[in-house]
Amino acid sequence: MSVEDTIKGIVTKIVRCDEKILTPESTWQDLKADSLDMVQILIAIEEKFDIEVPDEDAQEIKNFGEFVAYVEGRVAKKS
Amino acid sequence: MRLKGKIALVTGSSRGIGRAIALKLAAEGADIIVNFLRHRQGAEETARDAEKLGVSAQIIKANLVEPDKIDAMFETIASKYGRLDILVNNAASGVARSALDLDTRGWEWAMDINARAFLLCAQRAVKLMGERGGKIVSVSSLGSFFVLPDYVAVGVSKAALEALTRYLAVELAPKGICVNAVAASAVQTEAIKFFTKEAEGQMPSWQMTPAGRMVTPEDVANAVAFLCSEEAFMIRGRTIIIDGGTSLAPFSFTDEGG
């Protein structure tokens, strides 16, 4: 499973949205993700990929596409 | 140094109040175990700063919402140290919601981290304290008693924590384990920005105290260190309030300080 598909699975499970509505342009507001969703998504992503996503970085990420690119970058940096 | 040779686990000690507690206990001579979830860099800084005080320090990542992660953390402690003398239950989280807007996820999140994790950590800590006894101190909040805006999830979970403190204090007394808590009013940390931001930027007037300033993490750490010392041996199941007198005169102080 690709990094993107894994992230999709985590986000749709936590936010409880259909994968079909998740596009690279989707913002957290579009997905109606609240602060608890965000914390739980970050915890799950960090656990799954064994990376760290500092809060300052997370706050700069504007949409799902940027989020995937950020995580892919951190995963690549690690290996 | 009141805690020389003791081994202390401080949950959630990568920053804020937990970090201040870890460093205070280190200054009192305790070897420190820094538990963290998301802020490894902060945890490493806490550990480094503790080591500079002449004690050993180790970091352990564990999500305290998950019982198996708590098990793994205590297994690591058991294999490395073989014992534990002090548990400071500090890790906390919550959601900023009114009671009517609070859903089951937010409720469970706050209860699991702030109350259930305390029970699970205490149960496992007791085994590592053995017949030598020990100290268990939890960090509560004035929101367990006072009604604060959008604080219901945390406030109720902290009330549960304080009740559990009393039950554990009596049940563990014959084992030589002292159990207490501290409850602070608004403490100058990053975490308070979360609640004030989500409450539309309004800084509550209770940030100012009759003592003339906000409570600092070090104020909380000093009280925790006292409760971890033998000097506090006869204090059991109590929640020590650290608020500069705010709760005695809640309507007398404004943002300007009175």
Side-chain angles (χ1 to χ4, degrees):
Chain A
M1 192 183 273
S2 69
V3 169
E4 179 171 357
D5 286 342
T6 304
I7 298 173
K8 262 187 187 170
I10 288 170
V11 170
T12 53
K13 186 180 171 196
I14 291 173
V15 180
R16 289 147 295 163
C17 69
D18 195 314
E19 201 171 305
K20 288 176 197 150
I21 70 160
L22 202 54
T23 70
E25 291 74 37
S26 301
T27 65
W28 302 119
Q29 288 83 357
D30 293 338
L31 301 173
K32 297 187 171 56
D34 63 16
S35 59
L36 178 56
D37 292 325
M38 290 307 305
V39 168
Q40 292 186 333
I41 288 169
L42 293 175
I43 289 170
I45 294 288
E46 290 178 337
E47 179 87 26
K48 183 71 188 173
F49 297 106
D50 192 24
I51 59 169
E52 304 226 350
V53 183
D55 290 337
E56 311 81 64
D57 289 0
Q59 283 159 9
E60 295 297 316
I61 295 168
K62 294 182 185 64
N63 57 41
F64 183 71
E66 282 187 20
F67 187 55
V68 171
Y70 176 88
V71 174
E72 285 174 338
R74 294 303 289 245
V75 171
K77 212 172 172 181
K78 196 185 65 163
S79 54
Chain B
M1 296 214 284
R2 293 178 292 184
L3 306 176
K4 193 166 177 53
K6 303 292 185 189
I7 297 166
L9 164 64
V10 184
T11 66
S13 51
S14 61
R15 56 186 182 159
I17 294 171
R19 172 184 156 81
I21 292 169
L23 295 181
K24 177 64 181 175
L25 300 189
E28 294 281 0
D31 292 325
I32 301 299
I33 302 160
V34 177
N35 158 253
F36 73 102
L37 173 56
R38 293 197 48 234
H39 301 94
R40 177 177 294 274
Q41 198 179 332
E44 288 172 345
E45 281 172 19
T46 301
R48 270 198 303 275
D49 289 345
E51 285 170 346
K52 286 178 193 164
L53 295 166
V55 300
S56 77
Q58 174 178 4
I59 66 170
I60 302 180
K61 176 171 177 162
N63 182 356
L64 304 185
V65 167
E66 298 179 32
D68 60 330
K69 298 290 167 52
I70 294 177
D71 280 336
M73 176 171 69
F74 278 91
E75 281 161 18
T76 302
I77 295 169
S79 64
K80 182 169 171 67
Y81 299 95
R83 66 184 172 94
L84 186 68
D85 302 301
I86 295 167
L87 164 65
V88 179
N89 175 64
N90 167 74
S93 189
V95 292
R97 289 277 183 280
S98 69
L100 293 183
D101 288 335
L102 183 61
D103 60 16
T104 52
R105 286 176 64 239
W107 170 269
E108 286 168 4
W109 176 254
M111 292 298 284
D112 286 355
I113 292 187
N114 302 340
R116 190 181 70 178
F118 171 34
L119 175 65
L120 299 182
C121 286
Q123 289 170 339
R124 284 145 187 81
V126 167
K127 290 179 186 163
L128 290 178
M129 288 175 179
E131 292 177 359
R132 290 166 289 97
K135 306 285 190 282
I136 297 176
V137 181
S138 282
V139 177
S140 186
S141 156
L142 278 193
S144 67
F145 184 80
F146 289 105
V147 174
L148 309 176
D150 292 337
Y151 201 74
V152 61
V154 180
V156 170
S157 64
K158 293 292 192 182
L161 175 151
E162 290 180 18
L164 184 54
T165 296
R166 291 188 285 273
Y167 277 87
L168 286 173
V170 173
E171 191 172 327
L172 301 183
K175 296 178 183 293
I177 298 172
C178 302
V179 186
N180 288 292
V182 297
S185 56
V187 181
Q188 190 71 61
T189 64
E190 286 295 308
I192 195 165
K193 292 179 189 168
F194 173 75
F195 279 98
T196 51
K197 186 170 64 184
E198 296 221 352
E200 296 172 0
Q202 295 171 344
M203 283 298 285
S205 60
W206 38 263
Q207 67 175 294
M208 197 43 97
T209 72
R213 62 168 173 81
M214 273 187 89
V215 178
T216 67
E218 288 71 28
D219 293 322
V220 181
N222 288 337
V224 171
F226 168 66
L227 290 173
C228 289
S229 75
E230 288 307 304
E231 294 161 6
F233 182 79
M234 288 303 283
I235 301 172
R236 304 292 176 109
R238 298 299 166 186
T239 299
I240 307 289
I241 292 175
I242 307 157
D243 69 348
T246 298
S247 57
L248 301 174
F251 305 111
S252 303
F253 290 83
T254 67
D255 290 340
E256 287 74 43

